Amino acid sequence: MIREDANQQSRSTFENEIGDVLMRKELKSHIGVQLFALWILAEFLAYNQGCFLMHMGFFFPLKLFVLHLEQNAQAFDQSSANFAAFKNSEVGGQRLAVAYVLSHELSRLDHGFLIKPWSAMMARGEVPVIDMQRVEGLAEEIVNACEEWGIFRIINHGIPAELLTEMKAVVAALFDLPEEIKRRTVSTESGKGYITFNPSTPYLEGFSIDEVSSPGDFCDPLDASPHQREIIYKYINVIRDLAGLLGRKLMEGFGLAGDLFDGWNCQMRFNKYHFCQESVGSCGVFLHSDPSFLTILHDDDDVCGLQVVDKYTGEFTPVDPVPGTIAVNMGDIAKAWSNGRFCNVKHRVWCFEPKTRYSTVLFVLGPNDKKVEAPPELVDSEHPRLYVPIDIKEYRNARSAKRLHTGNTLSYLAPPRHE
Ligand SMILES: O=C(O)CCC(=O)C(=O)O
Ligand SMILES: [Fe+2]
């Protein structure tokens, strides 16, 4: 019955999420601590609020059940095949369906008094905000943010506020075009061009443009006016320069010289989230890490939604918009290049309010003509090489094939061990 109730599409999104989370060994070590902290805090709050019965009868068993499910999954190793077998089995399917409904209820409760103070207590505060015009210690601050959070916001980034506003207007106008015109933005590669609503992201539509790393006619597939093109080119120019600066700072932060992203392939993506009353309390984009090296995100100044997983607590932390700032985050390739030091931050977009949300994203993917590997300076006897050299296209294909969206594909790329 419950199984039938659970919406099939959101369920597969949920399964992706929970599947990836369950397969992350690091998170599991926190379960005991979470359970204990939750119990103490919930007892305290429930007692104070005079709703002990509700707490005992509803909330606590609910959380216990989800934790029980997580522990069950510890029996499974990191292979998606095993997870699929679990999911497809009678008992596994039922558990996931029930857990889906329960976790949905839990996330609704997240707005209430029970979980919020607990999350706040466990969390490390806000993601760092870095002033790009800081004269001393900028490179070290960036590297530190990449290691600790895998995401940070930047101010004084050199992108004029008017350009950010103009760009948002252009993006909105492109999405306002009739469906048949948007569909003309095609690409031979899947996931590129115009991306319409799909079952795992039913509120999201997007445009994805590849090869924006150097000036060119990459706007041609878009039905954009000359004025709109001018703004897009201007925006991409400044954002590409910003990416270059960040690449140099990452090198400097490790005591290395050079232009890290010189000649690397970049991709642009525009997102429109059709958040409405029905979508409140569900995902705009499900939990993932970016398969790229670095992401520069201009999120919507007016609508929140981005959440990242705190690597220490496993809790979702909001990355609320701060007008005029840009967010920068690390992807899987950055983790590989830094020999495991950078955090390929897991994130999702959550719908909190029925308001249309736009975002403009530049992905620095990696080099086209060579593989990515950690520089020798980041490898020594205490920090042995964690990954074989990676071809970015092969990596993306492997990631899609394995349906591992939160970076677990990296664990298949350990170099052979010499006994
Ligand atoms: O829209 C956002 O804020 C984030 C989008 C995102 O994570 C992505 O496109 O990879
Ligand atoms: Fe992302």
Side-chain angles (χ1 to χ4, degrees), residues 169-179 182 205 207 272 358:
V170 168
V171 168
L174 291 176
F175 281 115
D176 280 346
L177 290 169
E179 183 75 12
K182 288 189 277 194
E205 64 176 330
F207 283 104
K272 178 176 182 180
Y358 295 97

Side-chain angles (χ1 to χ4, degrees), residues 9-10 12-13 16 183 191 194-206 269 283-286:
Q9 290 162 5
S10 332
S12 74
T13 304
N16 273 332
R183 281 182 188 275
Y194 172 65
I195 303 142
T196 190
F197 310 98
N198 77 58
S200 62
T201 50
Y203 304 106
L204 175 68
E205 64 176 330
R269 189 175 159 120
C283 256
V285 165
F286 59 78

Side-chain angles (χ1 to χ4, degrees), residues 269 271 273 285 288 290 295 297 299 306 347 349 357 359 361 363:
R269 189 175 159 120
N271 294 315
Y273 300 87
V285 165
H288 67 283
D290 291 337
T295 304
L297 167 75
D299 49 347
L306 182 63
H347 54 286
V349 175
R357 179 178 186 274
S359 65
V361 192
F363 297 106

